[in-house]
Amino acid sequence: QVQLVESGGGLVQPGGSLRLSCAASGFSLDYYAIGWFRQAPGKEREGVSCISSSDGNTYYPDSVKGRFSISRDNAKNTVYLQMNSLKPEDTAVYVCATGPGCYCSNYGCYSLGFGSWGQGTQVTVSS
């Protein structure tokens, strides 16, 4: 059974850091692009990072560039999202997803046929 499980969310003060994990089971992440998306109450879902399958290139929108970093550990079949210098506006449910491809513009990241999505982990940035 194909499954993605996120972990690592929590409550953090502004300026703090968190590392989210996305563990895959039932398939290998080696051959797929992976993206992290977030959704805050009352707002549309926003893609915040993308890592390609072929060359491992990473992509970010302006809202998180320089603060967030996506990486993959194929041996552990896991993808990570390191989030630094967190702001209250980063508060959201963060979800990982995978599929054939993804891309990012200055305004957000977008899936190209992502078919597998996790359930999400809550990130709250507040003092």
Side-chain angles (χ1 to χ4, degrees):
Q1 181 180 357
V2 172
Q3 193 173 19
L4 295 171
V5 178
E6 302 91 340
S7 62
L11 173 64
V12 63
Q13 291 188 341
S17 298
L18 282 175
R19 188 177 80 156
L20 305 183
S21 299
C22 171
S25 59
F27 71 106
S28 173
L29 284 173
D30 293 22
Y31 307 107
Y32 295 93
I34 298 106
W36 282 96
F37 300 80
R38 68 185 181 187
Q39 188 160 19
K43 294 187 177 181
E44 292 189 358
R45 188 174 66 196
E46 176 190 16
V48 295
S49 66
C50 169
I51 184 168
S52 68
S53 60
S54 55
D55 52 17
N57 283 345
T58 58
Y59 307 92
Y60 310 91
D62 287 351
S63 59
V64 305
K65 194 174 292 182
R67 301 190 298 122
F68 288 14
S69 177
I70 186 172
S71 61
R72 62 196 303 162
D73 184 336
N74 289 341
K76 294 183 177 180
N77 216 26
T78 299
V79 172
Y80 303 98
L81 183 67
Q82 178 68 42
M83 305 187 297
N84 299 326
S85 302
L86 283 162
K87 305 175 181 180
E89 52 263 44
D90 295 318
T91 295
V93 175
Y94 284 71
V95 179
C96 64
T98 187
C102 54
Y103 70 97
C104 299
S105 70
N106 290 347
Y107 308 104
C109 299
Y110 307 92
S111 75
L112 296 172
F114 277 14
S116 298
W117 295 77
Q119 293 299 308
T121 185
Q122 175 71 46
V123 172
T124 302
V125 185
S126 175
S127 57

